[in-house]
Amino acid sequence: MEFRCTPADPGNWAGDGEGDTLAVGLFSGDGGNILEGLEARLGPGLKQRLERRRFKAKPGETQSFDWLERCPGTLILVGLGDAECFDRSALSRAAAAAAKAASAAGAHHLGLAMPWQGLEAAPAAATIAEAVRLSLFADQRFKSEVEPQHRPALVSLLGFEPELDEGLAAVGATCAGVELARELVAAPPNVVTPEALAETAAAIAAEFGLELKLLERADCEALGMGAYLGVARASSLPPKFIHLTYRPSGAVRRRVALVGKGLTFDSGGYNLKVGGSQIEMMKYDMGGSAAVLGAARAIGELKPEGIEVHVIVAACENMISGDALHPGDILTASNGKTIEVNNTDAEGRLTLADALVYACKLELDALVDLATLTGACVIALGEEIAGLWSPSDSLAAALVTAGRDGGESFWRLPLQASYKKGLKSPVADLKNTGPRPGGSITAALFLQEFVRPDLAWAHLDIAGTVWSDKGRGLDPAGATGFGVRTLVNWVASGGQA
Ligand code: J1V
Ligand code: ZN
């Protein structure tokens, strides 16, 4: 799918005689001028027909008309809702709805006329292009019979200057990263294993010229990663510690690391996930690693200048066996801290502890980790908002902004120092879980114990956002690819902290 900007308006666009489908956004209780222009072109009766069909231009509502032998032969009207409520997300939703209708109409060259009042041109064009591409993504890898999915080959964005085309090239890279993340999360745990994550990293490294360092169990033992290896211990699949590096061609001005939780399956261990705890969903527990690998893929293609990016995943499974962690075991992490494992289902923070210690040995200006870390964060913020913890106001602000530009929401929560006492162990330096109240805050405080205090660090708890049961807006149900757009925007804008 290719995107192109054109200053044409819906009254005259023909896509060089090749445009077969025109989609036009309309606000509710408005659209008079646009409709008159379309009637002048395509013939009268459009307004009456819309009234008869009770088209109210509600957000995402569409109506299609076919004129057969004309160019364009299909007209799609898509509702934008109230003009006063127009924003980035209304635009995204309408563009996605138009794309779905255009796909159903078999569009080959689609012209899309959407307003972008109150927004800047470049991000508005990117929003439309991302919405079109990502709403038409369908994952049919595990179906024996594939339903043919129609996607337009060319999408012209009307009302935008052609200079913006260059920026749209970045949309393709970002969307490919989001799609990779969705595919990784949606694949079952017998397909996406720690080794499969390592192979994905190797494929990204080979395709885009990134450096890959892969640590096997023995390498991790030599580094003293007792927390990570404790979690990995019961699985028959070996752990894979992944370290990808993107180096810019010119001078390096900043260095950042993205660390993702990579539990390819989380049974809970001996604190087994029992009835109601969604054990069958726990393939999704590598959502953080999917986000950082998706971002690595996009960054590898975009090749931002001046910024070095490290992508780190301590991948493994949390299983049970005669050799599994016992609830109560004491582990020693690679910074020497001892941890009493009072709950084997709080394993993500154990794997992240060693990954964060490893990252902190690199020369970094900022460190961001993403993890499907706590059920408590899902209860607090739901499916659409991820939790954000950071001692740095400026890094927190930069990530919130990068998220907003990518249509991803974060809400900052406190690293309440007094809650650290909830992690006190009578026998070790720390226990891995505190009391149930404030559970995602103590999880963040636990991670902070493994981060150099002078480093700008942020922790993103994406447990609620990487999977959507019902689909979000017009995005399909299932894996969302959450986090990729935030990370890519943040890195591309310089990785500010
Ligand atoms: C585990 C017991 C000790 C306190 C912390 C608890 C926890 O937050 N466990 C998370 C976990 O297993 N980390 O490895 C956890 C993460 C996500 C628990 C539940 C979920 C969860 C997320 C969902 F989106 C969801 F729908 C669900 F049912 C569970
Ligand atoms: Zn767990």
Side-chain angles (χ1 to χ4, degrees):
M1 212 181 320
E2 197 193 320
F3 294 94
R4 213 178 276 166
C5 290
T6 163
D9 72 66
N12 62 30
W13 177 82
D16 296 327
E18 305 276 315
D20 51 78
T21 306
L22 172 62
V24 181
L26 291 177
F27 289 112
S28 49
D30 170 43
N33 289 340
I34 296 180
L35 287 178
E36 266 154 39
L38 289 169
E39 281 192 332
R41 179 175 187 191
L42 299 166
L46 190 57
K47 274 189 192 166
Q48 277 171 340
R49 205 116 1 141
L50 284 172
E51 262 165 44
R52 260 195 270 152
R53 296 189 193 180
R54 297 205 165 76
F55 180 74
K56 298 274 190 299
K58 282 185 277 198
E61 185 185 4
T62 59
Q63 286 290 343
S64 301
F65 299 91
D66 277 316
W67 270 263
L68 302 175
E69 293 303 305
R70 305 259 189 142
C71 172
T74 301
L75 173 68
I76 295 163
L77 297 173
V78 56
L80 288 155
D82 227 342
E84 279 87 71
C85 305
F86 181 72
D87 60 3
R88 193 206 156 279
S89 93
L91 177 58
S92 172
R93 181 165 184 182
K100 289 247 164 93
S103 162
H108 187 73
H109 181 177
L110 169 67
L112 207 46
M114 294 287 162
W116 46 278
Q117 59 201 48
L119 304 170
E120 284 175 62
T127 294
I128 297 171
E130 274 179 17
V132 169
R133 168 139 172 200
L134 292 175
S135 66
L136 295 182
F137 172 77
D139 183 356
Q140 305 189 61
R141 289 170 299 163
F142 305 109
K143 300 269 193 192
S144 61
E145 274 176 48
V146 171
E147 272 184 46
Q149 251 272 313
H150 183 81
R151 283 187 197 81
L154 179 59
V155 180
S156 292
L157 307 187
L158 278 59
F160 291 98
E161 295 302 321
E163 293 92 79
L164 296 174
D165 277 356
E166 230 171 279
L168 289 183
V171 169
T174 305
C175 290
V178 174
E179 289 167 356
L180 172 61
R182 287 182 181 178
E183 285 179 346
L184 287 171
V185 170
N190 60 335
V191 172
V192 168
T193 57
E195 185 159 12
L197 284 182
E199 282 163 9
T200 301
I204 295 168
E207 188 171 356
F208 300 103
L210 276 65
E211 203 175 290
L212 174 64
K213 193 164 156 189
L214 194 57
L215 307 186
E216 304 294 340
R217 193 193 306 265
D219 305 311
C220 297
E221 267 163 17
L223 289 169
M225 296 184 176
Y228 166 46
L229 293 177
V231 174
R233 203 158 80 194
S235 172
S236 8
L237 306 177
K240 300 283 171 181
F241 189 100
I242 299 162
H243 176 191
L244 269 174
T245 308
Y246 163 75
R247 293 182 206 282
S249 56
V252 175
R253 288 189 298 277
R254 291 184 62 74
R255 293 183 175 82
V256 302
L258 311 175
V259 175
K261 172 178 172 184
L263 266 291
T264 61
F265 183 70
D266 179 12
S267 72
Y270 275 105
N271 291 101
L272 193 62
K273 288 190 186 283
V274 290
S277 56
Q278 302 246 49
I279 191 171
E280 73 284 0
M281 277 304 302
M282 285 300 147
K283 64 178 184 182
Y284 104 129
D285 215 15
M286 36 59 71
S289 66
V292 299
L293 289 172
R297 195 227 170 272
I299 291 162
E301 186 173 340
L302 293 171
K303 306 203 187 313
E305 280 173 24
I307 185 163
E308 184 175 290
V309 184
H310 298 270
V311 167
I312 295 162
V313 178
C316 66
E317 283 190 319
N318 185 20
M319 300 293 278
I320 52 176
S321 83
D323 190 37
L325 284 179
H326 314 84
D329 277 356
I330 296 175
L331 302 174
T332 305
S334 45
N335 64 348
K337 289 198 181 179
T338 58
I339 305 160
E340 181 190 5
V341 181
N342 62 343
N343 194 312
T344 60
D345 194 11
E347 82 301 332
R349 58 195 81 179
L350 296 172
T351 65
L352 287 168
D354 281 324
L356 291 169
V357 170
Y358 177 94
C360 284
K361 291 181 196 157
L362 307 167
E363 218 181 287
L364 296 178
D365 298 296
L367 169 60
V368 178
D369 76 71
L370 292 89
T372 49
L373 201 64
T374 66
C377 191
V378 189
I379 300 301
L381 299 176
E383 240 194 23
E384 292 183 18
I385 308 168
L388 184 163
W389 285 260
S390 180
S392 160
D393 293 346
S394 52
L395 176 57
L399 288 167
V400 169
T401 303
R404 189 173 302 139
D405 292 346
E408 297 179 336
S409 303
F410 295 89
W411 192 259
R412 189 175 178 193
L413 289 133
L415 284 161
Q416 182 77 14
S418 56
Y419 288 9
K420 277 187 209 167
K421 58 181 171 295
L423 292 171
K424 274 200 177 147
S425 160
V427 287
D429 298 342
L430 288 164
K431 42 184 196 178
N432 70 330
T433 64
R436 230 158 83 97
S440 48
I441 296 177
T442 41
L445 289 167
F446 179 90
L447 297 182
Q448 195 175 24
E449 295 294 316
F450 301 90
V451 178
R452 260 179 26 218
D454 54 317
L455 181 62
W457 159 72
H459 158 59
L460 307 178
D461 193 333
I462 57 174
T465 56
V466 305
W467 190 270
S468 167
D469 283 334
K470 299 192 183 82
R472 208 162 288 159
L474 286 133
D475 274 350
T480 60
F482 189 93
V484 173
R485 282 177 275 183
T486 300
L487 293 175
V488 174
N489 287 345
W490 177 65
V491 167
S493 60
Q496 290 313 307

